[in-house]
Amino acid sequence: MRITVATARLLAVLLTEPEADRYGLDLMGATGLASGSLYPILHRLQDAGWLTARWEDIDPSELGRPARRFYRLTPDGVSQARSALARLRAQTAVPGIVGLATRSLAW
């Protein structure tokens, strides 16, 4: 699977609580992605087996809102996402600047 910046951002958010159900609006807020970017990524991850999706079991008329579609990483998805993000970090690391982001830059 090709990991774009948007995909990496979504995977990073999903990995913060890999066993939690997350819905679209929640993920849009957490990632900063618009629905036109987010939902195609969710569908690709689901097609790849990294993500499961299920509809919320509610009575929409009782709650006054439509049912939400919840997304969650599969166990394989957790493993694949962690590996993909680690590879991305390794590919974008600048030699000789390891740890710079964690050091204080007080002058």
Side-chain angles (χ1 to χ4, degrees):
M1 168 166 303
R2 189 172 72 106
I3 305 296
T4 64
V5 171
T7 303
R9 190 179 302 168
L10 175 59
L11 291 173
V13 166
L14 290 169
L15 283 171
T16 61
E17 295 181 76
E19 295 174 6
D21 287 329
R22 306 290 294 262
Y23 62 99
L25 188 59
D26 172 43
L27 291 169
M28 285 172 29
T31 61
L33 297 173
S35 61
S37 297
L38 176 69
Y39 287 103
I41 296 169
L42 289 169
H43 291 290
R44 280 194 301 274
L45 292 172
Q46 191 176 0
D47 289 345
W50 292 22
L51 201 65
T52 60
R54 69 171 181 83
W55 285 103
E56 182 180 31
D57 187 22
I58 64 161
D59 179 357
S61 61
E62 192 175 294
L63 291 180
R65 65 168 175 80
R68 295 174 176 156
R69 186 151 176 92
F70 288 113
Y71 300 91
R72 180 189 295 197
L73 287 169
T74 63
D76 185 51
V78 170
S79 175
Q80 295 288 348
R82 286 182 178 147
S83 295
L85 293 181
R87 280 191 308 274
L88 185 61
R89 277 191 292 278
Q91 290 171 355
T92 59
V94 178
I97 305 189
V98 175
L100 178 64
T102 60
R103 282 191 236 147
S104 172
L105 296 177
W107 299 65

